[in-house]
Every structure is written in structure tokens, then in C-alpha cells.
Amino acid sequence: MTENTQQTPASNPELPTQYAPAEVEGKLYERWVERGYFTADAKSDKPPYTIVIPPPNVTGALHLGHAFQVTLMDALTRRKRMQGFETLWLPGMDHAGIATQNKVEQQLAEEGKSRQDLGREAFTERVWQWKDEYGGRILGQLKRLGAGLDWSRERFTMDEGLSKAVQTIFKKLYDDELIYRAERIINWCPRCLTAISDIEVDYQDDDGELVSLKYGEGDETVVVATTRVETMLGDTAVAVHPDDERYAHLVGKRIKLPLTDRTIPVVADTHVDPEFGTGAVKVTPAHDPNDFAIGQRHDLEFMTIMDERGVITVHGPFQGLDRFEARSAIVAAMREQGRVVAEKRPYVHSVGHCSRCKTTVEPRLSLQWWVKVETLAKAAGDAVRDDRVALHPKDMEKRYFDWVDNLNDWCISRQLWWGHRIPVWYGPNGEVVCVGPDDEAPTGEGWVQDEDVLDTWFSSGLWPFSTLGWPEETPDLEKFYSTDVLVTGHDIIFFWVVRMMMFGLYAMDGEVPFKTVALTGLVRDEFGKKMSKSNPNAVDPIDWMDAYGSDAVRFTLATGANPGADVPIGEDWVKASRNFANKIWNATRFALMNGATVEGELPPVEQLSATDRWILSRLNKTVAEVDAFYDDFQFAKLSDALYHFAWDEVFDWYVELSKTTFFAGGEGAKVSGRVLGEVLDVMLRVLHPIVPFVTETLWTTLTGKETLVTADWPTDSGFRDDAAEKEIELVQQLVTEVRRFRSDQGLQPGQKVPAELTLTGTALAPHEAAIRQLLRLQPAGDGFHATASLPVAGATVALDLSGTIDVEAERKRLTKDLGAAEKEKAQANGKLSNEAFLGKAPDNVVDKIRGRLAKAEADIERITNQLANLPQG
């Protein structure tokens, strides 16, 4: 990596009058990459720090959720790089099986073709072509955001190395009898024609119907209720609770299943809630996960009644109907027989939909491949319990344990063509052979490979170690595993984090895949609503970067990043962050024009003014505070601390307080110039991980050095000066109070006013020139007449307002305002003292009136003080 060598500073460093992000960011990022600042060295003797990016889908484009997490990861890695760590932030993409296959199938449909028309091999080639042409757009957009990723190590979940890792771990799990094939109930999408994972199912409240149906005849009648009437064709039992006396006479008997020529048993099972509905439930073991478990316990028949497209397959008048057509037809047939006891519609209930195509998901009995998770999940739980892995925020642990301690076996097979094909071959005589990456696949007549591919989460579960070269013993794996921090959304803690924990501990001999999981919330609009492509509140972060710069977007996202909490963001907030970047630019430009420098050592303390000592003390406290917040992943707090230090303390106070010194010139100006240079140097360093572009441009101009990316992270020198801080606090108090008074009197900010300051004997005396400059106070000359006197911070400020305001007009205006405030107070008091009103009014109305009373009282006090301070006629 290129060293951060000292350059010769420009003799008169100049910056453009305005900061133009579009002219800076692209060129700057290219330079960072070309010079290898983000490239990690596995042979380095520096301590490692590793983050692997949660791999975005190859189908994806940058959205605010990506930009949010990437900003946080970039901040973490930039800081660690500056702290002297050998930092690897590894990029890559996920092949996203079902999403990518759907994209290509949509293209084919536009051509009037299907994947079956092409065949598996040609279709897969077509997907690779699509990936090469359209995939990876998001990675280019991450560069636009300034992400300091090591592009030399970019990975893809279906590249040669990761494919070998997938085949290796499948074989290892299979040999350890942790992978098996069995019929179970799975989520099935009749449109995508594949099993899908829980995370690929979106639940929403749909308007359906709840129909109560009568089974059996005479004394052997049972009423059951269902929202999926069509599944009655696959009922193989009715279940009741063992202690429910209403049905004790039926348990063990068989009753007539309407519309069919079958009878089904009544079974007793503790799963049934006798208090819910009629206390009897229909049991369809092949089409419901709970019914499947009942069917296993009672050795019931598993009857599949519809095909993979949701079409009824059982014999009878309903055969060939779509499941929803059959639903209506069956209700009509049951109604005709007088077996519909009750119908409730609309009946709002939660229904699962395929997240890709929005089709209603069908629970379906299917022969699939599974991972036996019991021992793997226990290891994943123990790693958090014994503090080898820390979840942040810690209160997320309960959700993690609730999931991992109750994890069901994982369905890993998908009926797709795009993905890692299951490495199992079937022979002509029932042979089953699992093939590892170094094994020869069986050949000969009758041998075929399993048609299914693996769930995308299977390969992404290997991400923290497969990307470093596993199963080979590579220098990267030795140096950079286990990774330090995983930054990801709390919404996928169950589906991705747990998978990585299970596989990492299993494949890496108990070594955790990451030491800390920093969980984030979701990005929402400024009103707290979820952003969605289908809603008008969806935002393309590229548009905001175009308009306001990448630093502005990054700072806004970091400012909202409280651990585990959702992040509201609006365009006005991005504009405010743009203004902050401009403030940094303009103030630094002013400082450079007025002698700010980093040349030479800092002057000794005895040569520093109280203002200099104050800002250096505050600088060190801010560095210590920011470090503590980083270590606790408190991005919102550290961003807030940096914002207020830079804007309020450095620019609004130190620069302003020092202007008189700079303008006076001489030795004092040189000292303050060196102090200001030191403050800017450190401030730009600690701001850099969040806003890298503007800080890089300013810091290299200030210091003449090559880059801030590899500069040293500042440390707290330990310098503190509480006395200087208290002294400047008094100056701030006086200036703030007099500014407030001036505003109350209607004076313009730049309007000059004659004043007499009595500062003798106070800590404010050395600051008289600065105070006068900040408050636009002229010396009290001949004819000075004090019309207002303000005692503040142990000093007195006497002002001559004659000639600056129309006293009588101001008195009339204030008197009118005072009358209005007193009337408002009387009305509010009247209502709040009326017991009849208080007894009837809602709490929010009463609270609103109390608020009006408080405001009126505050207005009365303020206006009374303004009147008292007006010049006397």
C-alpha cells in the first residue's frame, strides 16, 4: 500500500469559493482505488480487521437500505485503517437464485419463450449472460457512495472458489448425516414452481372467507371452520382435544367426508384448542404444517389434492379447477347439500405471498433436501451465550435465542435451474451418491444428477469464510478469519445470521464467523413509513447524491443510526447535511486564507490564550467521546457530537472569537493560526470516515500530504483545561444573552449599537474586543446615553438604543402583544378551572389547553422584560 508521505504544502493553499461534490467525488474515488489504499495485505504484521459486505443480489440496484449499511461499514473500516489495522472490507454479490431466474424468465416471456424451450444448459448460459450484462450495477453504485472496498478480492456466490466451498460443505454435512432427503410441508409458489424459504414469504392481511362446514351424519356430526375450503378434498381426519367431552363418543369412529366417497377418523390430539371455534378441526396432512404433525402422530394418510400449479388433481367434479375456482365451487356444492353452517366474508386474515411474484403461497407436501439443525443451532446459541459473539444492541439476544432455540430443520432444495445444483447422483438400481469437489461423478447408463439447486441462503451462509478461500488453507483465511463485525438488518437475523453462525462454527472447528453482530433497523421516510417501490415515498439515493453529494447522504444516514432502531430520512435532512459539508468547506477555506497551518509544533501552553486552550481541551474531549461511541456502534451520537463540535464550537465560536486576533496580526495571530490548523487537522480526521470526500480535499490542502485515507487516527492527548472551558462558557453566555436581547428589540444582526462594557474583575475582560466584534457593539462615544443595561455572567452591558428603534412604536406593538397573551392566559385558565369541562374533555384536548397556558405565561414574561428594557421617554 502506498505510504502516506509528507508533501510540500502549497505556499498559498487555495480552494474554490464553493464546494462542488460532482467535480470532486468521482476523480477522488478513482485515485483511492488506483493507489491501492483499500487493498489489504495478508502478509502484513499489522493486526487484522475484517468485514465482509452482506452480498447484495446480482439483480439489485442501490437503495437507501444498502446505502445506510454501507455507510456504517465504511466508517468502521476507514477508522480502523487509520488506527493502523490491516483492514479488509471484502465486496461481492449473491447469485439470488429465484430472483435472477425470474428476471431472465421475464425476458424470455417477452420473446414468446420459456426456459423449457431453451433447456437447462442453454437457459443457464442465458442467465450467465444476463449476469455479465446487468449484474453488478449495485457495486458500481457503491463506488459512487465512496465505499472503501478491496475490489481485488471481489467474490460471487457462484464463482469457482465459492462453488467448491458449497460442494465441500454439502458433502461434509451429508457424510455426517446432517443432510437428508424427506417429505415435509414446505412453502410452495405455484407461479415460480419452487419451494421458497420463510424469508421469501411476505405475510399480509387479505380479505378472505371463513366457512363453517358440517361433516358426518346424525349423532356423528362435527362442524369445522376453514379459510381454505378446497383443502377439504384432502382431509384424512377430524381432530378434537382428548379432554373435550362433547366429542368423546366420536373419538376412534369414522365419519362421512362430504362430496367424496370416503370416511375419515376422528382423532384426539392435544394440539387442538377446545376453546377455539367448535373445538374440532379438519386435518389435511399434505397441505398444512400443523396438520402434517397431527398426521404423523396418528399415522394418517397424506393425500395430495393439487399439482405444482395449484390445480385440483383428485377425481370428481372439481378436478382441473384452479384452487381458488375450486374453493367457490366446493362452497356452492356444500351449500346445496345444506352443509354450510355459517359464512363470514370478508374475513380478514394473514396470508403468505411469494415475495417475488406476489402469488399466494401454498403449503405443500414435497420431497426435499433438509439440513438437520439441532446440533448446529445449539452451537450457534452457545456462541452468543458464552460471549464469543456479541449481539449489538444486546436486547436483540432474546429474539435470537427465541429463534435459534426453536429452529426447525431447514429445507435447502429449490426447484430452479439457476443456482448450485445439488451434488447427488441417483443410480439405476436406487443408488444414491453424494459427490465432493474432488470426486468423480458416477457415469454410465441410468445415472442422473438431482434436478434441484440449493437455497441461496445455503451458499450465503458460507460467506464469511468461503470468500477468504475456504476450503483451501489460504493466507487470507489465516489472516482475516474470523471477521470482526457483521453489519446487517435485524430483519434477517434469523435467516442469514443464524445460517452463518451454524456453518461457520461447523466448518471452522468452532471458530466463530464474526465477533460482533451490529444490527441495524430499516430506513423509513421522515414520517416513519416504510419505503416501498410501490409507494411515492421511495427514494433513489443516486438522485440525492447527484443533487447534494455523497457526503450529505452518508452523514444523514449516519446521524439516524441508533443501534437496532429504524432510521427516518427525508430530503430536507439531506439538504441540511449538504449545508454542513458546505460549512466545513467555507470555514476551512477562511481558516487557510487567514493563516491556519500545521507546520511546526504546537506552541507551549503558556503562549496560548484562553480561547486556544478552550478549543484544544474541547477537541480532545470530542476525540475521546467519538472513540467511545464508535466502540459502542453509536453512529447517531458520534455524528451528532462531530456536527456540534465542528459547526458550533470550531466555526461559530473559535473562529469568530479568533477573528480579532487574526486581523490584528503579529505573534498572537501566528499562535492562533497554528492552533486552528491543529484543530482542523484533527477534526477533519475524525470526520473523514463519515464524510470522506470533502474531508480528503480539505485535509490534503491543509497539510500538503497525499491522502487522509491512510493518515493516523487522532488520539486523545489527555490535554484538559477546565478553567479555560468555564471562561469561554461565560463569554458564550454573555454573547448569547445580548444577542437574544438585540433580537427581541428588533435589531438586525449586523446593526451596530453603541455600548459600554463593564468587564473589570471578571474572566471576560481579556475578551472585550472579541465580544464587541461578535455583538456589533461600538465604543461608547460622546453623547452616549445608556437606555438599557444587561447584567450577564458577572458583567454589565449598557446599550444606547436611541436612534436605533422607534421606541413608541415598539412600545405599542409590545403592549398589544402583551394584551393578547394575557387574554389567552385568562381563557386557558377559565377552561382549566371549569370542572364540568375537565370532566367531559378528552385528555389530548386538556393537554393542548395546558400547553396554551404555558406558552401564554412564557410570552407574558418575555414581553414584560422587553417593555422594561425599552429606553425611557
Side-chain angles (χ1 to χ4, degrees), residues 88-125:
L88 170 60
W89 184 19
L90 193 148
M93 293 180 296
D94 194 302
H95 65 278
I98 191 170
T100 308
Q101 179 158 319
N102 277 350
K103 288 282 188 182
V104 178
E105 288 195 85
Q106 288 168 13
Q107 279 190 341
L108 289 174
E110 292 171 3
E111 300 169 12
K113 300 177 183 177
S114 69
R115 59 172 161 141
Q116 286 77 16
D117 293 331
L118 271 66
R120 185 167 193 147
E121 185 175 347
F123 176 78
T124 304
E125 288 178 4

mmCIF file of all heavy atoms in Angstrom, residues 88-125:
data_model
loop_
_atom_site.group_PDB
_atom_site.id
_atom_site.type_symbol
_atom_site.label_atom_id
_atom_site.label_comp_id
_atom_site.label_asym_id
_atom_site.label_seq_id
_atom_site.Cartn_x
_atom_site.Cartn_y
_atom_site.Cartn_z
ATOM 1 N N LEU A 88 -9.482 -5.239 5.930
ATOM 2 C CA LEU A 88 -10.081 -5.844 4.743
ATOM 3 C C LEU A 88 -11.592 -5.674 4.818
ATOM 4 O O LEU A 88 -12.236 -6.152 5.750
ATOM 5 C CB LEU A 88 -9.745 -7.342 4.666
ATOM 6 C CG LEU A 88 -10.512 -8.136 3.582
ATOM 7 C CD1 LEU A 88 -10.239 -7.577 2.196
ATOM 8 C CD2 LEU A 88 -10.169 -9.620 3.660
ATOM 9 N N TRP A 89 -12.117 -4.957 3.829
ATOM 10 C CA TRP A 89 -13.571 -4.901 3.650
ATOM 11 C C TRP A 89 -13.839 -5.540 2.296
ATOM 12 O O TRP A 89 -13.512 -4.986 1.253
ATOM 13 C CB TRP A 89 -14.065 -3.461 3.708
ATOM 14 C CG TRP A 89 -15.559 -3.352 3.636
ATOM 15 C CD1 TRP A 89 -16.473 -4.327 3.891
ATOM 16 C CD2 TRP A 89 -16.309 -2.185 3.276
ATOM 17 N NE1 TRP A 89 -17.753 -3.854 3.724
ATOM 18 C CE2 TRP A 89 -17.684 -2.546 3.351
ATOM 19 C CE3 TRP A 89 -15.977 -0.892 2.917
ATOM 20 C CZ2 TRP A 89 -18.690 -1.639 3.059
ATOM 21 C CZ3 TRP A 89 -16.985 0.012 2.633
ATOM 22 C CH2 TRP A 89 -18.333 -0.361 2.707
ATOM 23 N N LEU A 90 -14.423 -6.732 2.349
ATOM 24 C CA LEU A 90 -14.499 -7.583 1.164
ATOM 25 C C LEU A 90 -15.847 -7.449 0.463
ATOM 26 O O LEU A 90 -16.887 -7.630 1.082
ATOM 27 C CB LEU A 90 -14.251 -9.037 1.577
ATOM 28 C CG LEU A 90 -13.996 -10.041 0.455
ATOM 29 C CD1 LEU A 90 -13.039 -11.124 0.949
ATOM 30 C CD2 LEU A 90 -15.284 -10.688 -0.011
ATOM 31 N N PRO A 91 -15.811 -7.154 -0.854
ATOM 32 C CA PRO A 91 -17.062 -6.977 -1.598
ATOM 33 C C PRO A 91 -17.491 -8.255 -2.310
ATOM 34 O O PRO A 91 -16.710 -9.198 -2.472
ATOM 35 C CB PRO A 91 -16.691 -5.914 -2.633
ATOM 36 C CG PRO A 91 -15.246 -6.213 -2.937
ATOM 37 C CD PRO A 91 -14.637 -6.749 -1.646
ATOM 38 N N GLY A 92 -18.718 -8.285 -2.748
ATOM 39 C CA GLY A 92 -19.204 -9.408 -3.533
ATOM 40 C C GLY A 92 -20.698 -9.353 -3.731
ATOM 41 O O GLY A 92 -21.378 -8.459 -3.214
ATOM 42 N N MET A 93 -21.208 -10.330 -4.476
ATOM 43 C CA MET A 93 -22.626 -10.373 -4.811
ATOM 44 C C MET A 93 -23.173 -11.782 -4.629
ATOM 45 O O MET A 93 -22.430 -12.764 -4.682
ATOM 46 C CB MET A 93 -22.858 -9.949 -6.261
ATOM 47 C CG MET A 93 -22.563 -8.503 -6.559
ATOM 48 S SD MET A 93 -22.871 -8.145 -8.314
ATOM 49 C CE MET A 93 -21.658 -9.180 -9.099
ATOM 50 N N ASP A 94 -24.467 -11.855 -4.416
ATOM 51 C CA ASP A 94 -25.178 -13.118 -4.283
ATOM 52 C C ASP A 94 -25.894 -13.421 -5.599
ATOM 53 O O ASP A 94 -26.494 -12.529 -6.214
ATOM 54 C CB ASP A 94 -26.199 -13.010 -3.147
ATOM 55 C CG ASP A 94 -26.749 -14.360 -2.720
ATOM 56 O OD1 ASP A 94 -27.309 -15.051 -3.578
ATOM 57 O OD2 ASP A 94 -26.622 -14.703 -1.538
ATOM 58 N N HIS A 95 -25.852 -14.684 -6.018
ATOM 59 C CA HIS A 95 -26.492 -15.038 -7.295
ATOM 60 C C HIS A 95 -28.012 -14.954 -7.236
ATOM 61 O O HIS A 95 -28.673 -14.876 -8.266
ATOM 62 C CB HIS A 95 -26.071 -16.443 -7.732
ATOM 63 C CG HIS A 95 -26.544 -17.536 -6.829
ATOM 64 N ND1 HIS A 95 -25.894 -17.879 -5.669
ATOM 65 C CD2 HIS A 95 -27.605 -18.378 -6.921
ATOM 66 C CE1 HIS A 95 -26.538 -18.884 -5.093
ATOM 67 N NE2 HIS A 95 -27.579 -19.206 -5.832
ATOM 68 N N ALA A 96 -28.578 -14.965 -6.014
ATOM 69 C CA ALA A 96 -30.016 -14.706 -5.823
ATOM 70 C C ALA A 96 -30.870 -15.576 -6.729
ATOM 71 O O ALA A 96 -31.553 -15.098 -7.628
ATOM 72 C CB ALA A 96 -30.323 -13.231 -6.052
ATOM 73 N N GLY A 97 -30.829 -16.887 -6.490
ATOM 74 C CA GLY A 97 -31.417 -17.871 -7.384
ATOM 75 C C GLY A 97 -32.762 -17.535 -7.966
ATOM 76 O O GLY A 97 -32.911 -17.351 -9.176
ATOM 77 N N ILE A 98 -33.769 -17.424 -7.118
ATOM 78 C CA ILE A 98 -35.128 -17.263 -7.634
ATOM 79 C C ILE A 98 -35.333 -15.893 -8.263
ATOM 80 O O ILE A 98 -35.996 -15.761 -9.298
ATOM 81 C CB ILE A 98 -36.167 -17.528 -6.519
ATOM 82 C CG1 ILE A 98 -37.561 -17.636 -7.118
ATOM 83 C CG2 ILE A 98 -36.107 -16.476 -5.436
ATOM 84 C CD1 ILE A 98 -38.588 -18.145 -6.112
ATOM 85 N N ALA A 99 -34.724 -14.850 -7.675
ATOM 86 C CA ALA A 99 -34.908 -13.503 -8.206
ATOM 87 C C ALA A 99 -34.272 -13.368 -9.578
ATOM 88 O O ALA A 99 -34.864 -12.802 -10.517
ATOM 89 C CB ALA A 99 -34.300 -12.481 -7.239
ATOM 90 N N THR A 100 -33.061 -13.917 -9.732
ATOM 91 C CA THR A 100 -32.373 -13.806 -11.015
ATOM 92 C C THR A 100 -33.054 -14.662 -12.073
ATOM 93 O O THR A 100 -33.226 -14.235 -13.226
ATOM 94 C CB THR A 100 -30.907 -14.227 -10.854
ATOM 95 O OG1 THR A 100 -30.324 -13.497 -9.769
ATOM 96 C CG2 THR A 100 -30.119 -13.957 -12.123
ATOM 97 N N GLN A 101 -33.461 -15.868 -11.690
ATOM 98 C CA GLN A 101 -34.157 -16.723 -12.651
ATOM 99 C C GLN A 101 -35.433 -16.047 -13.144
ATOM 100 O O GLN A 101 -35.757 -16.089 -14.335
ATOM 101 C CB GLN A 101 -34.472 -18.088 -12.038
ATOM 102 C CG GLN A 101 -35.231 -19.006 -12.993
ATOM 103 C CD GLN A 101 -35.096 -20.469 -12.641
ATOM 104 O OE1 GLN A 101 -34.029 -20.945 -12.274
ATOM 105 N NE2 GLN A 101 -36.187 -21.205 -12.752
ATOM 106 N N ASN A 102 -36.150 -15.394 -12.238
ATOM 107 C CA ASN A 102 -37.371 -14.699 -12.635
ATOM 108 C C ASN A 102 -37.087 -13.583 -13.639
ATOM 109 O O ASN A 102 -37.857 -13.371 -14.596
ATOM 110 C CB ASN A 102 -38.063 -14.110 -11.401
ATOM 111 C CG ASN A 102 -38.923 -15.134 -10.683
ATOM 112 O OD1 ASN A 102 -39.152 -16.223 -11.196
ATOM 113 N ND2 ASN A 102 -39.380 -14.795 -9.494
ATOM 114 N N LYS A 103 -35.976 -12.857 -13.423
ATOM 115 C CA LYS A 103 -35.619 -11.773 -14.347
ATOM 116 C C LYS A 103 -35.429 -12.314 -15.765
ATOM 117 O O LYS A 103 -35.931 -11.751 -16.746
ATOM 118 C CB LYS A 103 -34.328 -11.098 -13.883
ATOM 119 C CG LYS A 103 -34.459 -10.244 -12.643
ATOM 120 C CD LYS A 103 -35.075 -8.901 -12.974
ATOM 121 C CE LYS A 103 -35.031 -7.980 -11.760
ATOM 122 N NZ LYS A 103 -35.672 -6.681 -12.038
ATOM 123 N N VAL A 104 -34.693 -13.411 -15.876
ATOM 124 C CA VAL A 104 -34.401 -13.964 -17.199
ATOM 125 C C VAL A 104 -35.656 -14.592 -17.811
ATOM 126 O O VAL A 104 -35.894 -14.483 -19.018
ATOM 127 C CB VAL A 104 -33.248 -14.975 -17.120
ATOM 128 C CG1 VAL A 104 -32.974 -15.603 -18.479
ATOM 129 C CG2 VAL A 104 -31.988 -14.281 -16.600
ATOM 130 N N GLU A 105 -36.480 -15.226 -16.968
ATOM 131 C CA GLU A 105 -37.726 -15.793 -17.487
ATOM 132 C C GLU A 105 -38.648 -14.694 -18.007
ATOM 133 O O GLU A 105 -39.376 -14.894 -18.990
ATOM 134 C CB GLU A 105 -38.418 -16.626 -16.411
ATOM 135 C CG GLU A 105 -37.721 -17.942 -16.119
ATOM 136 C CD GLU A 105 -38.578 -18.918 -15.340
ATOM 137 O OE1 GLU A 105 -39.358 -19.648 -15.969
ATOM 138 O OE2 GLU A 105 -38.466 -18.917 -14.101
ATOM 139 N N GLN A 106 -38.625 -13.529 -17.372
ATOM 140 C CA GLN A 106 -39.423 -12.407 -17.870
ATOM 141 C C GLN A 106 -38.924 -11.958 -19.239
ATOM 142 O O GLN A 106 -39.712 -11.636 -20.132
ATOM 143 C CB GLN A 106 -39.359 -11.248 -16.869
ATOM 144 C CG GLN A 106 -40.134 -11.495 -15.580
ATOM 145 C CD GLN A 106 -39.810 -10.475 -14.496
ATOM 146 O OE1 GLN A 106 -39.185 -9.445 -14.753
ATOM 147 N NE2 GLN A 106 -40.219 -10.771 -13.270
ATOM 148 N N GLN A 107 -37.591 -11.925 -19.405
ATOM 149 C CA GLN A 107 -37.040 -11.595 -20.716
ATOM 150 C C GLN A 107 -37.493 -12.594 -21.773
ATOM 151 O O GLN A 107 -37.884 -12.220 -22.882
ATOM 152 C CB GLN A 107 -35.503 -11.584 -20.652
ATOM 153 C CG GLN A 107 -34.889 -10.317 -20.099
ATOM 154 C CD GLN A 107 -33.383 -10.314 -20.292
ATOM 155 O OE1 GLN A 107 -32.756 -11.350 -20.502
ATOM 156 N NE2 GLN A 107 -32.781 -9.132 -20.224
ATOM 157 N N LEU A 108 -37.424 -13.869 -21.426
ATOM 158 C CA LEU A 108 -37.832 -14.907 -22.378
ATOM 159 C C LEU A 108 -39.312 -14.784 -22.729
ATOM 160 O O LEU A 108 -39.709 -14.975 -23.887
ATOM 161 C CB LEU A 108 -37.542 -16.292 -21.794
ATOM 162 C CG LEU A 108 -36.066 -16.692 -21.686
ATOM 163 C CD1 LEU A 108 -35.933 -18.030 -20.963
ATOM 164 C CD2 LEU A 108 -35.433 -16.786 -23.074
ATOM 165 N N ALA A 109 -40.132 -14.467 -21.721
ATOM 166 C CA ALA A 109 -41.567 -14.336 -21.963
ATOM 167 C C ALA A 109 -41.847 -13.236 -22.973
ATOM 168 O O ALA A 109 -42.755 -13.349 -23.811
ATOM 169 C CB ALA A 109 -42.289 -14.048 -20.642
ATOM 170 N N GLU A 110 -41.056 -12.154 -22.920
ATOM 171 C CA GLU A 110 -41.222 -11.068 -23.876
ATOM 172 C C GLU A 110 -40.869 -11.528 -25.293
ATOM 173 O O GLU A 110 -41.330 -10.942 -26.279
ATOM 174 C CB GLU A 110 -40.352 -9.881 -23.466
ATOM 175 C CG GLU A 110 -40.820 -9.206 -22.178
ATOM 176 C CD GLU A 110 -39.822 -8.179 -21.664
ATOM 177 O OE1 GLU A 110 -38.790 -7.961 -22.357
ATOM 178 O OE2 GLU A 110 -40.076 -7.605 -20.585
ATOM 179 N N GLU A 111 -40.037 -12.580 -25.369
ATOM 180 C CA GLU A 111 -39.669 -13.148 -26.668
ATOM 181 C C GLU A 111 -40.598 -14.291 -27.064
ATOM 182 O O GLU A 111 -40.391 -14.945 -28.091
ATOM 183 C CB GLU A 111 -38.223 -13.666 -26.611
ATOM 184 C CG GLU A 111 -37.194 -12.600 -26.273
ATOM 185 C CD GLU A 111 -35.820 -13.197 -25.970
ATOM 186 O OE1 GLU A 111 -35.625 -14.411 -26.246
ATOM 187 O OE2 GLU A 111 -34.951 -12.470 -25.456
ATOM 188 N N GLY A 112 -41.605 -14.553 -26.225
ATOM 189 C CA GLY A 112 -42.532 -15.633 -26.506
ATOM 190 C C GLY A 112 -41.962 -17.005 -26.209
ATOM 191 O O GLY A 112 -42.402 -18.004 -26.794
ATOM 192 N N LYS A 113 -40.983 -17.058 -25.292
ATOM 193 C CA LYS A 113 -40.334 -18.325 -24.973
ATOM 194 C C LYS A 113 -40.418 -18.600 -23.476
ATOM 195 O O LYS A 113 -40.751 -17.726 -22.676
ATOM 196 C CB LYS A 113 -38.862 -18.295 -25.397
ATOM 197 C CG LYS A 113 -38.617 -18.073 -26.876
ATOM 198 C CD LYS A 113 -37.116 -17.981 -27.157
ATOM 199 C CE LYS A 113 -36.840 -17.682 -28.619
ATOM 200 N NZ LYS A 113 -35.388 -17.523 -28.883
ATOM 201 N N SER A 114 -40.098 -19.860 -23.124
ATOM 202 C CA SER A 114 -39.988 -20.246 -21.722
ATOM 203 C C SER A 114 -38.648 -20.920 -21.526
ATOM 204 O O SER A 114 -37.949 -21.264 -22.490
ATOM 205 C CB SER A 114 -41.115 -21.212 -21.331
ATOM 206 O OG SER A 114 -40.920 -22.465 -21.970
ATOM 207 N N ARG A 115 -38.275 -21.153 -20.278
ATOM 208 C CA ARG A 115 -36.992 -21.827 -20.022
ATOM 209 C C ARG A 115 -37.019 -23.255 -20.562
ATOM 210 O O ARG A 115 -35.996 -23.790 -20.976
ATOM 211 C CB ARG A 115 -36.648 -21.810 -18.532
ATOM 212 C CG ARG A 115 -37.645 -22.466 -17.605
ATOM 213 C CD ARG A 115 -37.081 -22.545 -16.191
ATOM 214 N NE ARG A 115 -38.119 -22.742 -15.184
ATOM 215 C CZ ARG A 115 -37.995 -23.526 -14.135
ATOM 216 N NH1 ARG A 115 -36.887 -24.208 -13.938
ATOM 217 N NH2 ARG A 115 -38.972 -23.643 -13.249
ATOM 218 N N GLN A 116 -38.211 -23.866 -20.557
ATOM 219 C CA GLN A 116 -38.316 -25.223 -21.087
ATOM 220 C C GLN A 116 -38.002 -25.249 -22.591
ATOM 221 O O GLN A 116 -37.471 -26.238 -23.103
ATOM 222 C CB GLN A 116 -39.709 -25.797 -20.827
ATOM 223 C CG GLN A 116 -39.961 -26.199 -19.384
ATOM 224 C CD GLN A 116 -40.227 -25.015 -18.465
ATOM 225 O OE1 GLN A 116 -40.512 -23.914 -18.946
ATOM 226 N NE2 GLN A 116 -40.156 -25.237 -17.148
ATOM 227 N N ASP A 117 -38.306 -24.151 -23.284
ATOM 228 C CA ASP A 117 -37.988 -24.086 -24.709
ATOM 229 C C ASP A 117 -36.474 -24.125 -24.931
ATOM 230 O O ASP A 117 -36.000 -24.681 -25.931
ATOM 231 C CB ASP A 117 -38.557 -22.801 -25.326
ATOM 232 C CG ASP A 117 -40.070 -22.800 -25.343
ATOM 233 O OD1 ASP A 117 -40.667 -23.898 -25.426
ATOM 234 O OD2 ASP A 117 -40.668 -21.704 -25.268
ATOM 235 N N LEU A 118 -35.713 -23.535 -24.012
ATOM 236 C CA LEU A 118 -34.268 -23.496 -24.159
ATOM 237 C C LEU A 118 -33.606 -24.772 -23.648
ATOM 238 O O LEU A 118 -32.595 -25.212 -24.197
ATOM 239 C CB LEU A 118 -33.678 -22.297 -23.407
ATOM 240 C CG LEU A 118 -33.551 -20.970 -24.178
ATOM 241 C CD1 LEU A 118 -34.937 -20.437 -24.514
ATOM 242 C CD2 LEU A 118 -32.777 -19.952 -23.346
ATOM 243 N N GLY A 119 -34.170 -25.360 -22.608
ATOM 244 C CA GLY A 119 -33.499 -26.464 -21.938
ATOM 245 C C GLY A 119 -32.571 -25.932 -20.862
ATOM 246 O O GLY A 119 -32.173 -24.762 -20.866
ATOM 247 N N ARG A 120 -32.206 -26.806 -19.935
ATOM 248 C CA ARG A 120 -31.480 -26.373 -18.747
ATOM 249 C C ARG A 120 -30.128 -25.729 -19.073
ATOM 250 O O ARG A 120 -29.804 -24.642 -18.570
ATOM 251 C CB ARG A 120 -31.278 -27.547 -17.788
ATOM 252 C CG ARG A 120 -30.622 -27.142 -16.467
ATOM 253 C CD ARG A 120 -30.714 -28.224 -15.425
ATOM 254 N NE ARG A 120 -30.352 -27.681 -14.116
ATOM 255 C CZ ARG A 120 -30.882 -28.083 -12.972
ATOM 256 N NH1 ARG A 120 -31.806 -29.015 -12.952
ATOM 257 N NH2 ARG A 120 -30.490 -27.542 -11.828
ATOM 258 N N GLU A 121 -29.343 -26.372 -19.901
ATOM 259 C CA GLU A 121 -27.996 -25.869 -20.169
ATOM 260 C C GLU A 121 -28.028 -24.518 -20.865
ATOM 261 O O GLU A 121 -27.331 -23.572 -20.481
ATOM 262 C CB GLU A 121 -27.229 -26.887 -21.019
ATOM 263 C CG GLU A 121 -25.769 -26.497 -21.251
ATOM 264 C CD GLU A 121 -24.993 -27.573 -21.996
ATOM 265 O OE1 GLU A 121 -25.507 -28.711 -22.120
ATOM 266 O OE2 GLU A 121 -23.880 -27.272 -22.471
ATOM 267 N N ALA A 122 -28.863 -24.392 -21.879
ATOM 268 C CA ALA A 122 -28.947 -23.133 -22.613
ATOM 269 C C ALA A 122 -29.541 -22.031 -21.751
ATOM 270 O O ALA A 122 -29.130 -20.864 -21.840
ATOM 271 C CB ALA A 122 -29.783 -23.316 -23.883
ATOM 272 N N PHE A 123 -30.513 -22.402 -20.913
ATOM 273 C CA PHE A 123 -31.107 -21.404 -20.025
ATOM 274 C C PHE A 123 -30.065 -20.885 -19.046
ATOM 275 O O PHE A 123 -29.971 -19.676 -18.800
ATOM 276 C CB PHE A 123 -32.301 -21.995 -19.271
ATOM 277 C CG PHE A 123 -32.901 -21.041 -18.267
ATOM 278 C CD1 PHE A 123 -33.738 -20.016 -18.682
ATOM 279 C CD2 PHE A 123 -32.611 -21.158 -16.912
ATOM 280 C CE1 PHE A 123 -34.281 -19.126 -17.762
ATOM 281 C CE2 PHE A 123 -33.149 -20.280 -15.985
ATOM 282 C CZ PHE A 123 -33.991 -19.258 -16.418
ATOM 283 N N THR A 124 -29.274 -21.788 -18.470
ATOM 284 C CA THR A 124 -28.243 -21.373 -17.520
ATOM 285 C C THR A 124 -27.228 -20.460 -18.189
ATOM 286 O O THR A 124 -26.786 -19.463 -17.606
ATOM 287 C CB THR A 124 -27.538 -22.603 -16.915
ATOM 288 O OG1 THR A 124 -28.517 -23.446 -16.309
ATOM 289 C CG2 THR A 124 -26.510 -22.191 -15.882
ATOM 290 N N GLU A 125 -26.866 -20.763 -19.428
ATOM 291 C CA GLU A 125 -25.957 -19.890 -20.173
ATOM 292 C C GLU A 125 -26.574 -18.505 -20.352
ATOM 293 O O GLU A 125 -25.885 -17.477 -20.257
ATOM 294 C CB GLU A 125 -25.644 -20.501 -21.536
ATOM 295 C CG GLU A 125 -24.736 -21.725 -21.475
ATOM 296 C CD GLU A 125 -24.485 -22.317 -22.859
ATOM 297 O OE1 GLU A 125 -24.965 -21.719 -23.851
ATOM 298 O OE2 GLU A 125 -23.821 -23.363 -22.940
#
